[in-house]
Amino acid sequence: MQDFILALPLLLLGAGTLTALAFSRSGWSASRLGWLLSLFALTSFLLILYAFTLVPSGKALTFTLPWIPSVGLDFSLYLDGLSALFALLITGIGTLVVIYAGQYFGGDASAWRFHAYTLLFMLAMLGLVLAGDLITLFLFWEGTSISSFLLIAYKFKDEAARKGAFKSLFITGGGGIAMLAGFLFVIHLSGGADFKTVLASGGFLRASPLYPVFFALIAFGAFTKSAQFPAHIWLPEAMTAPTPASAFLHSATMVKAGVYLLARLNPALGQTDLWFWTLSIVGLTTMLVGAYLGFKQNDLKPLLAYSTVSQLGVLVALIGQDTEIAFKALVISILAHALYKSALFMSAGIIDHETGTRDLRKLGGLRRQMPLMFGITGIAALSMAGLPPLFGFLAKETLLASATHPSLPPIVDSLFPLATVLAGALILAQAALAVWGVFLGKPADEKHPPHGHDPHFAFWLAPAVPAIISLLIGLTPVEPQFLVEFLADAAKAAYGDKVKISLALWTGINVPLILSIVAVTLGSLLFWQRERIRAWMTDFLPNFTTNALFDGTVSGLDTLSRTATRLQGGRLRVYLRILLLSAIVLVVLFNGIPRQISLPALTWNIEGLNGLRMFSLVMLTVSALVSVFVRRDLYAVIALGITGLGVAMWMALEPSPDVALVQLIVDILSTVILILSLSLIPRKLRDRANELLHSRRGMVRDALLAGLAGLVVAGLAFTALNTRPRESVVSPFYAENAKPLTGAKDIVGAIVVDFRGADTLMEILVFSLAGLGIYTLLHYATRKSSDRTREEPEKRLKPNTPRGVFNLPTSPMLHTLAYIMLPLAFLLGITHMMYGHDQPGDGFTAGVIISLAIAQWYMLFGYYETRRKLAWLNRNNMIAAGLTLAVLNALGGAVFGGGFFSPVDYGRMLRLPLPPGFYLTNSFLFEVSIALSVMGAATLILDNLGHPREEDLEADADLAALEEKQ
Amino acid sequence: MNLLTSLAIGILFAAGIYQILRRNVIRAAVGLVLLSNAVNLFLFSAGAYNGQSAAYSTAAAQISDPLPQALVLTAIVISMGGFAFVLSLLYVISTRYKTSDSDEVKGLKN
């Protein structure tokens, strides 16, 4: 349970975030809230410090929680020297930053948002360095990207802030995804995501042929996060964040995430030539570019940001080395840089806050007004410049020692020291520039000298603490033993071997010291000639910016997404074409073009020809083609009806009489409701639609597409038909068990009503829902005003002269026919229900047959007359009764038969005297319920599609007006 | 016969597709029915064996495969429900947009 202590700081920071949110409406000032929240950060700091004392030297403390055990994923935490170094920096500087942010925003009661983001970021960052496996690390890594986005865009009304936030998220987020891909390789190869496994399989990973791939992916992620050239462009723009955020994220913590990752994985992936060259080249380039660009800046924050870029380059280059001294330099530099840079950023924020500007061209001569700030900034700047007796001096000395290490290969052994000296000189000049430009010298603008004074204690405390620590570490005569051991532990975790650390400033006159003196001299010269050099740099030297690349990428992605969006231009026919084409391509792709079709199979098989089948095929083909080519839609509908008849005939010859019967009556019913619904659409509209022209090209294209689709389907059908007979397990089972289990001679009927009864229940439900859907659509969706109330028809309707479909008068002979047909249809339907088990036809057929007779009424008498005469026809009750009966009947099977839908013969059970051949089974009741619900739904459909519309007249008027306008 | 049957299915299918791609939404509805007819026929061709007799347990000869028949039976019913719904959509389109040209129907608002 001891290791649970690792999770506590994270939980605490999460609680802190929630606290900040909870105080959103409290009206507490930022400063008060800052003090409260700093307690969370401080406690986390102390907890980590305590946890670290539990870690035996050189070992790690781990905490594991199963996350997704099925894929072997854990949430795990890991604390060793390296994590502890970063974790203490994060929580330590975090505590100061929270207090500082409170002072920075002062009485602003809306700054709780900033506090919440800061704590959220601290949580993510701490999780990142404490993560015990690659997946947990990735999770928190993305967390830092997102919370940093929120912090940079804190002043979201400012466009520059939004742009900077987007840029940082785009670059670091993109790097994060590449990194995840690299992680997956590593996890796959090493067989585990946790660091113990990964670090132990270093040799195997380095020997893998995939090593360059995952190395490149992971390095890309680390480089983007740590602002390495050419991905450095996001860091200066992230300076639009409020200064407390910059001090925290962009100096001490987030930008070091990449460095942390590289250092963490160094024992597993490092110490190869590829590692050395990539990290050295990228790191040293970044170091020079950052130092060079920083020297050009006039704004304090970008100046500090570029020097951070430079320092990050140094750290990356150091991890690339394979020497003990490099890792000594690494840990010292990390600590030294975090201390002085956070102090400088916070000081810059104070100067900005007090004087209203950070521009070196407006500041100057503030040493008398702000002596305290002068002192703090001065100390931190001296450390940045790498001058004794500050901690920064030690960092630079060890860096130079590492740069002149004899193990370096040729060329590098001269370039590395040279670049380091040059960058060191430039950084020194920048440090001088910052101090001189703000506190010393004269105000750049004599007429408007800057005004400001030292802030109160709580405000300057935050930058003072790290600055003073920088000074103390350098000044103490005796090396603080715990710090030495602590840094040695951290370096060992990154290097993989023991690293000896000493914090003595004076190591005698040696090469690093001489180089250091050269750098200081050169830096002083640069500072002395700063005006000239800076002007020259601005005018003549390149900017080393890759913004064009970034902008190009972003606008390229924009164009790509616009193109993708254009495919969805709102034209359904275009979608359909794309879908069809894709379906065709996929079918052909996965099936291949059949090569096994033997030619004999393709010849006309005269013996198999069947006159009636032939006739049905010709009938359906020709009528389908007629429906395509005929001009008027009414003719197309009639041709469609004939196609359906042809299909029914073909089915009857299959032979499958049940299906043929259903097809026949459904075809008729479909044609009827199609004609009814056509009558709803104003004639003018339909005529205009009939005249719609398609371009010749469009027609050819559609014909080609349709032809291709038809060919594919024909090919599939041909293959299926030619490979008969096939083995089937299901069909013989049904054939053998239909009679013994259900008592039905009709196997198809038995399948529909008994074997797959639940299917059929769903089917009638869907059919009823279609009816209800139509009702809803026509009654609520099309209603323009709520004036049309839906009264019970029989109350409102008066006798009317019967007028049929299309408002045509109908003959009395037909009326008589309709009167006769309805009872006949009922009779026929009941017979179907009663004997459907042994003959073609079933409840569905019965329902449709009765509906057809009703449809005839609608066609002949029109809506009003039909409703008046058939007032007893209540569709809603029929649907409800049908569905209820179906469910009760199925439950009856469960009660009496031993299972849902189990067959029960109620007739025999109750010993009822029934006519021969008729069995009162629950199958029969199911048929009745099917018939009822189908009748109800069909009547509902007829009712709604047969209803003459008041809107029709309105639409006609609208159309006339429209045409007049044209 | 197999060749002719599959050709007929293909033609029916192609006719359906072509109709669905017309601008006139009424034609598209007609195409939908053609397509469902073609698909039902196609399902028949996916049956496991041929038969000379209807699928009755009393049949003397080899019966036709009852499984695709039962499936097609369901399919016919469902497609009719769907078809009726499509028709009511046609009506809604014609009243709302005063057109039955699918190209003119853009956006789902009034």
Side-chain angles (χ1 to χ4, degrees), chain A residues 111 129 142 148 199 253 277 290 331 339 375 412 443 467 508 528 575 622 708 760 808:
Chain A
V129 299
E142 295 295 283
S148 132
L199 295 182
T253 54
W277 286 105
V331 289
L339 290 173
V412 180
W528 178 44
Y575 298 180
V622 170
L708 261 177
T760 308
L808 299 171

Side-chain angles (χ1 to χ4, degrees), chain A residues 40 50 76 208 256 309 332 346 373 435 473 506 524 671 779 781 807:
Chain A
F40 288 91
Y50 172 68
S76 58
S208 160
K256 297 234 174 75
V309 169
I332 292 178
M346 288 194 266
M373 288 316 299
V435 176
I473 297 177
W506 180 252
S524 311
T671 313
H779 277 274
N807 231 8

